[in-house]
Amino acid sequence: MSVHPEERAMCRIYGYFNARPSRNEVRAVAALQRHGGPDSTGSTHAPGWGVGNNRLAIVDLDGGAQPYELDDRIAVVFNGEIYNHDELRELLRARGYAFADRCDGGIIPALYDAYGEGFTDLLDGMYAIAVLDRRDVPTLLLVTDPAGMKPLYYRWDPAERSLYFSSEIPALLGFQAVGTDLWQEGLDAYLATKTPFGEQTMFGDVKVLPPATTLRCELDGQPRLRIRRLSECPPVTSLDTAARLVRDRLTAEVGRLLVADVPVAVVTSGGLDSSLVTALAARHRPVHSFNVAYRGSWPFDERGYAERVARSAGTVHHQVELDPAAFPSMIEDVVWHLGQPNADPITLSTYGLFAAVHDAGFKVALTGDAADEVFGGYSRMRAAVAGGSRADWLPRYLDELAVLPAARRYALYADEYQAFVRHRSPIPPEALDLLHTGAQTVLGRILAFEQRYRLPAYHLRRVDHLSMASAVEVRLPFCQPGVLSLGRALGDDLRIRGDAVKRALYGAARGLLPDEVLSRPKQPFTLPVTAMLRPGEPLWEYGRDVLAGSRLAAGGRLDPVAVDALFTAQSRRPRDETAVTIWALLVYEVWLDQFQRDRRTAGVAAVTT
């Protein structure tokens, strides 16, 4: 095994195919996502096509220039990390390929040349890749990793047979051919799942490439999407064996995710998942840990647990404290970087946390995201398993995903919009089919659904966009292919039994974490929005302004009277559901203001004509 440091860089990528945007448009696209790759830029283009990137240098800070090219025939731009690039480079050298450096992405043109579209089967890492093949019929490939850790958005123009793509939605909108018209069902889909699931975004013209997907488009052809098969492990049925395998796999993954030529930190919420990542990282080398909390006295403060984990692991601990008075101004930045609404209030905390990580001098951070989706950690999963023999588990489960259940959503809508969405599913049909008719157990279907649809849409894009907003690369041990395949190999009883969740993961953590962390009740990592949305608080006053009746009436989708009643109810008897609903509508209205060029033409009149 090579002992040389690995050469990696996170980036933002963009491009166009069978299109002729102006040079100023292309510059604008690059500039709009430079925050995620401030260290250098690179591009290559010819009449009808172009690809480019913004680089965040992590290892080999002076090398790794993109695009990567092979004999002027194949050009590649790449966002992510390929962890097995040393092995792949030796494999390719044996086939006669030569390499100028050891940058991980530099192997991709040769790998594609040697293996064609099947090159993805050899990759281990997180990535969004664009391959421009100029041999024979010019062809563009867009590729995403198995978990969807690195987002890739695109717009296909069927009339012009043109394709545009980018790592971020605001950058994609820099191409003038990409419109900002609303996806008309978007508001209901957003409130039903807290952010749209599947390929459709809140913009009618903009799609997002699903996880483990290859898009192929030939010149003058049209895109064809292929979902790639995921790797599998042999079934695991023993809890002791599962705990040992999970610990060993996570130990190895965390170790290699710590490799960088820049400082690496860990995020520690004080819950099981991030605490285990912190403990394992500290076993490999000294690390700095970060926890986020809020100035003042608020419910669900986890800083005490995070400090206990930091002391136990021996990290240098940083306590980030955000000022709620700054939240109204932060919301606009958060919504802009996300590019579409996300109803989880933790978006503010995520944005503020990674800004502090960057300000402390760190360009890389490990987090505990995705453990619940891999190992079965949510109460809604436990409830579905308990009621799996009854026909009503699915409606109850879907209600748990929503900002509020369907009947109460419809009560918020203006009459025309309510009539428009009432008989339309807010969840993609193929996603519902997976829940309804999958061949697995109820829990197996739920985990497959959440990993393919909810995890990338609701969690991973939030983490990616809001960390890269501050030029911080997030590495996700629980999303690595080896961990995902091991999670799928576990029997239901090793995930959930009775009231116990994530049994294999708790088994892996025993002896590594303090008992009070292992025995504490599960607490969502979120902003205490119910306490913060009350009269006199900054968020309350901001929300009243943004959700004013005159503004809502102009949009035509929401009933101003029904929304005003939410504020009245919350002022009299604060409830979590009411607070999250106000928050979700507030975020939606901020998004509309930022991204709709003409709110009136996007109103409900357009829906009903």
Side-chain angles (χ1 to χ4, degrees), residues 421-436:
V421 300
R422 184 173 286 277
H423 301 294
R424 299 168 186 262
S425 172
I427 297 177
E430 62 273 16
L432 289 177
D433 287 345
L434 181 56
L435 286 170
H436 276 292

Side-chain angles (χ1 to χ4, degrees), residues 272-295:
L272 169 67
D273 312 332
S274 64
S275 297
L276 180 54
V277 171
T278 300
L280 292 175
R283 284 190 155 200
H284 284 282
R285 71 184 214 189
V287 293
H288 290 241
S289 57
F290 285 77
N291 173 261
V292 65
Y294 315 101
R295 188 172 301 169

Side-chain angles (χ1 to χ4, degrees), residues 83 140 224 250 337 372 417-418 430:
Y83 299 115
L140 176 71
R224 291 184 287 113
L250 282 173
H337 284 291
D372 290 311
Y417 189 68
Q418 182 181 138
E430 62 273 16

Side-chain angles (χ1 to χ4, degrees), residues 543-568:
R544 290 298 272 169
D545 288 341
V546 171
L547 295 172
S550 58
R551 294 164 59 110
L552 300 183
R557 288 172 172 77
L558 292 167
D559 178 357
V561 175
V563 174
D564 186 66
L566 292 172
F567 284 95
T568 300

Side-chain angles (χ1 to χ4, degrees), residues 236-313:
V236 181
T237 57
S238 159
L239 182 59
D240 288 343
T241 300
R244 175 179 53 79
L245 289 173
V246 170
R247 182 189 287 205
D248 290 348
R249 187 68 53 85
L250 282 173
T251 298
E253 296 290 355
V254 168
R256 66 178 182 165
L257 297 189
L258 288 170
V259 175
D261 281 349
V262 296
V264 179
V266 292
V267 171
T268 307
S269 71
L272 169 67
D273 312 332
S274 64
S275 297
L276 180 54
V277 171
T278 300
L280 292 175
R283 284 190 155 200
H284 284 282
R285 71 184 214 189
V287 293
H288 290 241
S289 57
F290 285 77
N291 173 261
V292 65
Y294 315 101
R295 188 172 301 169
S297 179
W298 302 100
F300 311 120
D301 192 319
E302 294 190 288
R303 72 182 81 196
Y305 290 108
E307 290 168 358
R308 180 69 182 89
V309 169
R311 287 197 302 272
S312 173

